[in-house]
């Protein structure tokens, strides 16, 4: 526990815990909406914000937040109105964000590719006190939205048409989800990195789904996995001198593989128990099997 004696590790661990909470909390809605790669696209756009932060000598975190929120709103507008050429517009937005970030940070007097790398893949030693304050404020916003509006966001993620019939402001909630995802990307970029944050938003949710289909249980398990892998990856990167973002993502994938291996025999055991509990007088061919597609959504 000697790493707790260092101020930079204390800041990094606090940021890691907040990232582990917020990323899966938003990711569960993105997975339900089949927008698992949205975080990756926002990460590309946020690179322009980082570059502008260095160019204008302002906080890269807050500038990346502003640019990524704007990019997320544009992504939603393209999804609504760009039915035919939407994929091309999104590709231009993503790659333009990457190119803009590289260009701006090289034009900045204090910027360099080394500075950009810390934001792309995460860095422990560069998490400053001001970064921690920014991350705490942004994480509070994400938690308030994902928990306070969980019923509305879940309804829209499940079925937009049904949610619209019930009177929910579908477009406003979709925009709020996109903005919350953008904020989450900037929360995580100092620890995980812009290019790897999408994995932390999606893989813990996918791992939790191996054990349960309940929304609440999936939410809780995904957050627990997120916190466990971010803290473990941060500590590992300190002792082994390896990139924290890559370490955290590999641990997350390892957790997914382990839970998948655990869930397979459990599912077979439940199936055998259900078959054994079936009354002897009911022929098997008369029963209607439960049908679930591979991409089916989480039940409440």
């Amino acid at each position: 526990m000697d790493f707790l004696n260092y101020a930079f590790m204390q800041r990094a661990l606090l940021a890691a815990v907040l990232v582990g909470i917020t990323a899966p909390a938003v990711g569960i809605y993105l997975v339900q909406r089949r927008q698992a790669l949205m975080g990756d696209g926002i990460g590309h756009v946020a690179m322009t914000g980082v570059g502008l932060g260095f160019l204008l000598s302002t906080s890269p975190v807050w500038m990346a937040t502003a640019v990524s929120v704007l990019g997320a709103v544009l992504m939603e507008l393209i999804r609504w109105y760009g039915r035919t050429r939407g994929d091309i517009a999104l590709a231009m937005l993503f790659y333009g964000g990457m190119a803009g970030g590289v260009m701006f940070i090289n034009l900045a007097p204090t910027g360099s590719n080394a500075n950009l790398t810390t934001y792309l893949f995460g860095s422990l030693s560069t998490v400053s006190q001001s970064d921690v304050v920014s991350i705490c404020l942004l994480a509070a916003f994400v938690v308030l939205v994902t928990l306070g509006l969980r019923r509305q966001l879940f309804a829209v993620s499940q079925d937009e048409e049904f949610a619209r019939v019930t009177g929910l402001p579908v477009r406003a909630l979709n925009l709020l989800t996109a903005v919350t995802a953008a904020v989450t990307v900037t929360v995580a970029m100092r620890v995980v990195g812009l290019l790897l944050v999408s994995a932390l938003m999606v893989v813990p949710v996918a791992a939790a789904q191996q054990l349960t289909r309940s929304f609440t249980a999936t939410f809780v398990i995904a957050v627990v996995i997120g916190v466990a892998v971010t803290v473990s990856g941060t500590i590992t990167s300190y002792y082994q001198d390896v990139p924290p973002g890559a370490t955290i993502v590999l641990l997350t994938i390892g957790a997914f593989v382990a839970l998948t291996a655990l869930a397979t025999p459990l599912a077979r055991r439940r199936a055998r128990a259900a078959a054994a509990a079936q009354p002897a007088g009911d022929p098997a061919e008369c029963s209607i099997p439960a049908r679930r597609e591979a991409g089916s959504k989480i039940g409440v």
Side-chain angles (χ1 to χ4, degrees), residues 55-148:
L55 182 63
L56 302 177
S57 299
T58 60
S59 170
V61 174
W62 287 110
M63 186 60 71
T65 301
V67 172
S68 60
V69 166
L70 177 61
V73 172
L74 288 175
M75 289 170 63
E76 273 300 305
L77 293 177
I78 291 171
R79 189 173 73 90
W80 292 342
Y81 302 112
R83 300 296 182 184
T84 56
R85 297 290 182 179
D87 55 340
I88 298 177
L90 287 175
M92 292 174 62
L93 183 65
F94 297 165
Y95 298 130
M98 291 182 64
V102 174
M103 180 63 70
F104 288 141
I105 204 166
N106 279 277
L107 291 176
T110 59
S112 66
N113 288 332
N115 297 126
L116 187 59
T117 300
T118 63
Y119 288 90
L120 292 178
F121 303 105
S123 175
L124 296 181
S125 59
T126 58
V127 180
S128 64
Q129 188 64 40
S130 61
D131 288 335
V132 171
V133 174
S134 302
I135 290 171
C136 288
L137 293 175
L138 295 172
F141 168 78
V142 173
V143 172
L144 285 174
V145 170
T146 54
L147 290 181

Side-chain angles (χ1 to χ4, degrees), residues 13-221:
L13 285 172
L14 176 58
V17 171
L18 295 176
V19 170
I21 294 172
T22 55
V26 174
I28 191 171
Y29 300 108
L30 298 182
V31 171
Q32 287 295 98
R33 290 155 57 96
R34 292 179 173 82
Q35 294 180 333
L37 295 179
M38 185 178 185
D40 186 57
I42 295 175
H44 286 67
V45 176
M47 289 174 60
T48 294
V50 173
L52 279 174
F54 280 98
L55 182 63
L56 302 177
S57 299
T58 60
S59 170
V61 174
W62 287 110
M63 186 60 71
T65 301
V67 172
S68 60
V69 166
L70 177 61
V73 172
L74 288 175
M75 289 170 63
E76 273 300 305
L77 293 177
I78 291 171
R79 189 173 73 90
W80 292 342
Y81 302 112
R83 300 296 182 184
T84 56
R85 297 290 182 179
D87 55 340
I88 298 177
L90 287 175
M92 292 174 62
L93 183 65
F94 297 165
Y95 298 130
M98 291 182 64
V102 174
M103 180 63 70
F104 288 141
I105 204 166
N106 279 277
L107 291 176
T110 59
S112 66
N113 288 332
N115 297 126
L116 187 59
T117 300
T118 63
Y119 288 90
L120 292 178
F121 303 105
S123 175
L124 296 181
S125 59
T126 58
V127 180
S128 64
Q129 188 64 40
S130 61
D131 288 335
V132 171
V133 174
S134 302
I135 290 171
C136 288
L137 293 175
L138 295 172
F141 168 78
V142 173
V143 172
L144 285 174
V145 170
T146 54
L147 290 181
L149 297 175
R150 62 188 182 279
R151 294 184 183 274
Q152 294 87 339
L153 294 177
F154 176 80
V156 173
S157 300
Q158 286 287 93
D159 191 334
E160 287 190 4
E161 293 301 324
F162 177 77
R164 187 176 289 108
V165 170
T166 60
L168 290 175
V170 173
R171 289 193 172 181
L173 289 171
N174 282 335
L175 278 176
L176 183 60
T177 302
V179 169
T180 307
V183 172
T184 303
V185 168
T186 56
V187 168
M189 70 180 181
R190 300 300 277 147
V191 176
V192 184
L194 292 173
L195 296 184
L196 299 175
V197 62
S198 184
L200 195 59
M201 298 170 74
V202 173
V203 181
V205 177
Q209 286 179 334
Q210 304 304 309
L211 299 180
T212 178
R213 294 293 178 181
S214 165
F215 175 80
T216 301
T218 302
F219 189 100
V220 172
I221 294 174

Side-chain angles (χ1 to χ4, degrees), residues 229-274:
V229 296
T230 52
V231 172
S232 300
T234 301
I235 296 173
T236 302
S237 65
Y238 168 77
Y239 283 111
Q240 301 298 324
D241 192 24
V242 291
T247 305
I248 289 170
V249 171
L250 290 175
L251 287 175
T252 308
I253 295 174
F256 173 82
V257 173
L259 290 179
T260 301
L262 177 65
T264 300
L266 289 177
R268 291 174 179 172
R269 186 177 302 176
R270 293 194 192 102
R272 287 196 297 267

